[in-house]
């Protein structure tokens, strides 16, 4: 990570304290660098805080504490030192999810309390955050609970990803409901996005999770959301080869060091819906990269087998989980400059990630891929991998495998959070990528582990194989909700596209809901540095016009702008890679006209290759029209989106 200072970090307003003498208890105020966000902190029965945006209260009387070894730290807090500082630098991420350069600009207040607890507050232009730090004499402690109550100023609507239990893939819909209607027993993953009114949105999230369980939320039957955490597992039981369930839990949530920092509690603030897509708060608060040499980390697209059920055709071999089929995937990827293929479930004997099935020769496939400049990524169930971690990774490295896709964790207790870090570390040592499915928490670790190239924990395209859940309404909610956390492996790219009336979930011959151009736009709107091409290579090969877009479209970006968007309605994003610009627009089931102004372009003339919903896309989802034209920064275009429609374009000098 290269840091380019804009100005030297300054320490200002330092409060000097006499040793052993508690300070007069007063209120504290912290403002964002642009002065629009203010955090007011009050030592009361608990440490309480309010958050204001442009003078308007967003959160009021929110409170925090932590129960360590049955002592509640933060109860009747006595501040012994208050220290302020600010920082302003530019970071250059090795994997460019949104931007080639990210400004890290904040003001910070450290409140050191009697009893070994410190609370650090930060105010950014993009929101606020706080974290707890403990400095205790015990080498090891038990954390029984962490209290984090996000109390809002009004009974607002929240896009709330309700969960049934802590055992979950975190693949949920973000459905709007009034906060007071959410019962205390109603669990949710992250983020909860609250509609404050006047366009302002607040996203509750976390960052820098390590050696600690992931944050979940629950309702309070009032204008507040409260933290809850998966308890520490005492006894686990394996069902089949993949569901490793906690059958007995402790009454504490973590066993950890007495002196440490805890995860950041994040309050992202967006003045308008589109600002949620460019907000980098979660990434900025993550621990900096633990991988020294990142030059080998290559993001890119990947041809994927499982969604399309290996439905390849016009070939002279029997398609399936066999060496010939994957060489066919490699030929397709090579033709269009796609750097990876994934070999998903079926390549190893379930329960033993070192026993390859007879029809597969992994080394033969990787050697063939190397000749064609295509890397191979292997899918594996997390528990099987954990049982064989070092020998398995060593073998994959010998085979020349470029990465692994790890699946079915379905947990975010302390043991699993530690697992994410362990696997990220061990794969980085071997210069391998890792893509975590089956949980969302690893989305907030991609700065720490740049080889953690993508993560799922999203209700994605796979759901179209068995349900109607991933419809265009859901698709235009995700960029403003789940994507706030970090990369999102939705796995787009369906080539059979259906309107609502003609859609059917067919597991072995799947289709998508909405139009072809809705799918194309996802490659611009959705962020995943390892972006999937989910459909059959045979379907792509018979559509060379589509591959004129899907071949070159990048998976990482130098610049991102949201031209327009409203959560759960529509979104229009422009992204730059080098001198090329890409535009993606998507709508829910409502057809709509959008206007796009190309004034973001630099001076000069450009050629535009655009894909728009066909005149009959409202009845036949795969209908599209390709339009090639010349444009410049004065060009304005009217986009006509069908129900569940989209629009996508590549603009080149």
């Amino acid at each position: 990570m290269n840091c380019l200072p804009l100005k030297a970090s300054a320490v200002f307003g330092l409060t000097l304290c006499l040793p052993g003498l508690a300070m007069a208890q007063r209120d504290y105020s912290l403002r964002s660098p642009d002065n629009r966000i203010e955090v007011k902190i009050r030592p009361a029965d608990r440490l309480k805080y309010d958050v204001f945006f442009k003078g308007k209260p967003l959160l009021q009387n929110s409170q925090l504490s932590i129960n360590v070894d049955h002592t509640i730290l933060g109860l009747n807090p006595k501040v012994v030192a208050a220290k302020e500082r600010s920082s302003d630098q530019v970071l250059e991420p090795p994997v460019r999810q949104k931007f080639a350069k990210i400004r890290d600009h904040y003001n910070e207040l450290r409140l050191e309390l009697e009893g070994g607890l410190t609370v650090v507050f930060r105010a950014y232009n993009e929101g606020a955050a706080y974290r707890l730090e403990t400095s205790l004499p015990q080498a090891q402690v038990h954390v029984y609970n962490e209290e984090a109550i996000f109390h809002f100023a009004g009974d607002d609507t929240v896009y709330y990803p309700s969960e049934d239990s802590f055992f979950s893939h975190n693949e949920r819909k973000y459905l709007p409901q009034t906060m007071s209607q959410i019962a205390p027993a109603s669990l949710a993953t992250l983020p909860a996005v609250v509609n404050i009114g006047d366009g302002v949105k607040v996203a509750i999230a976390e960052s820098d999770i390590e050696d600690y369980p992931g944050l979940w939320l629950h309702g309070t039957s009032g204008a507040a959301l409260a933290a809850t955490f998966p308890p520490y597992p005492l006894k686990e039981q394996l069902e089949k080869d993949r569901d490793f369930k906690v059958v007995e839990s402790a009454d504490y949530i973590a066993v950890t060091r007495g002196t440490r920092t805890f995860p950041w509690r994040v309050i992202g603030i967006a003045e308008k819906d589109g600002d949620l897509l460019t907000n980098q708060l979660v990434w900025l608060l993550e621990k900096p990269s633990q991988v020294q040499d990142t030059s080998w980390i290559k993001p890119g697209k990947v041809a994927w087998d499982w969604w399309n059920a290996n439905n390849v055709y016009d070939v002279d071999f029997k398609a399936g989980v066999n060496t010939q089929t994957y060489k066919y995937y490699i030929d397709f990827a090579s033709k269009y400059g796609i750097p990876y293929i994934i070999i998903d479930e079926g390549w190893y004997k379930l329960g033993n990630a070192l026993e390859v099935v007879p029809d597969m020769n992994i080394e033969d496939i990787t050697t063939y891929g190397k000749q064609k400049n295509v890397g191979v990524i292997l899918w594996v169930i997390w528990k099987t991998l954990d049982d064989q971690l070092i020998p398995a990774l060593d073998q994959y490295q010998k085979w020349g495998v470029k990465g692994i896709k790890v699946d079915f964790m379905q947990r975010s207790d302390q043991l699993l959070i530690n697992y994410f870090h362990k696997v990220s570390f061990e794969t980085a040592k071997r210069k391998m990528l890792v893509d975590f499915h089956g949980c969302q928490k690893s989305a907030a670790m991609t700065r720490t582990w740049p080889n953690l190239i993508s993560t799922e924990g999203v209700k994605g395209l796979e759901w179209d194989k068995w349900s109607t859940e991933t419809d265009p309404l859901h698709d235009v909610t995700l960029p403003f909700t789940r994507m706030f956390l970090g990369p999102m492996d939705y796995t787009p790219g369906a080539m059979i596209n259906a309107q609502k009336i003609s859609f059917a979930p067919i597991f072995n011959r799947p289709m998508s809901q909405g139009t072809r151009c809705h799918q194309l736009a996802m490659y611009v709107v959705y962020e995943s540095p390892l972006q999937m091409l989910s459909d059959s290579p045979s379907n792509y090969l018979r559509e060379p016009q589509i591959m004129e877009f899907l071949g070159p479209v990048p998976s990482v970006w130098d610049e991102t702008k949201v031209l327009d968007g409203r959560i759960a309605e529509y979104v229009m994003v422009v992204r730059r890679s080098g001198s090329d610009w890409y535009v993606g627009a998507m709508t829910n089931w409502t057809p709509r006209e959008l206007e796009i102004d190309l004034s973001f372009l630099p001076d000069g003339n450009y050629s535009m290759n655009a894909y728009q919903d066909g005149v009959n896309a409202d009845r036949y989802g795969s209908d599209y029209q390709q339009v090639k034209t010349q444009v410049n920064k004065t060009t304005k275009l009217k986009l006509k989106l069908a129900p569940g429609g989209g629009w996508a374009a590549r603009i080149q000098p």
Side-chain angles (χ1 to χ4, degrees), residues 546-616:
I546 289 295
M547 292 311 298
E548 284 180 41
F549 181 83
L550 285 185
V553 64
S555 65
V556 289
W557 306 97
D558 296 325
E559 193 177 345
T560 297
K561 298 174 187 287
V562 181
L563 302 179
D564 199 2
R566 288 179 67 106
I567 186 169
E569 293 185 28
Y570 64 95
V571 63
M572 186 160 52
V573 177
V574 59
R575 300 190 196 258
R576 180 179 62 80
S577 175
S579 58
D580 287 6
W581 296 81
Y582 287 81
V583 185
M586 300 162 62
T587 181
N588 56 16
W589 284 122
T590 304
R592 67 182 79 236
E593 288 191 5
L594 299 173
E595 189 170 282
I596 176 171
D597 180 337
L598 301 188
S599 57
F600 57 81
L601 291 173
D603 291 334
N605 293 316
Y606 292 78
S607 60
M608 183 175 78
N609 181 24
Y611 297 79
Q612 61 193 37
D613 290 330
V615 69
N616 293 305

Side-chain angles (χ1 to χ4, degrees), residues 22 149 188 193 267 283 296 365 449 464 467-468 477 492 521 523 596 652:
I149 299 177
V193 176
I267 302 158
W283 188 90
W296 58 271
I365 294 167
W449 302 106
D464 277 337
S467 78
T468 59
T477 304
Y523 288 86
I596 176 171
Q652 297 171 272

Side-chain angles (χ1 to χ4, degrees), residues 367-474:
T367 301
Y368 187 75
K370 191 174 182 183
Q371 292 163 6
K372 301 257 184 171
N373 287 321
V374 176
V376 173
I377 293 169
L378 295 179
W379 174 93
V380 63
I381 287 168
W382 83 271
K383 181 65 174 85
T384 307
L385 178 68
D386 196 34
D387 290 342
Q388 303 175 295
L389 185 63
I390 301 307
L393 291 181
D394 285 348
Q395 182 61 65
Y396 303 166
Q397 186 183 25
K398 280 180 197 158
W399 282 337
V401 167
K402 296 298 182 186
I404 56 173
K405 173 183 167 184
V406 186
D407 208 349
F408 281 93
M409 287 74 72
Q410 305 172 86
R411 285 168 45 190
S412 55
D413 50 64
Q414 184 183 4
L415 299 185
L416 263 291
I417 297 297
N418 291 350
Y419 175 83
F420 295 137
H421 286 280
K422 175 173 69 176
V423 172
S424 299
F425 170 76
E426 291 294 346
T427 48
K429 257 173 47 177
R430 293 162 179 80
K431 296 190 174 179
M432 291 167 68
L433 305 176
V434 60
D435 173 19
F436 284 117
H437 275 228
C439 180
Q440 69 167 207
K441 295 303 177 185
S442 52
M445 301 175 186
T446 60
R447 180 183 177 189
T448 308
W449 302 106
N451 65 308
L452 201 177
I453 198 73
S454 193
T455 193
E456 194 197 27
V458 63
K459 181 168 278 193
L461 192 73
E462 66 177 3
W463 280 75
D464 277 337
K465 286 167 73 80
W466 58 78
S467 78
T468 59
E469 291 278 294
T470 43
D471 66 347
L473 170 63
H474 175 67

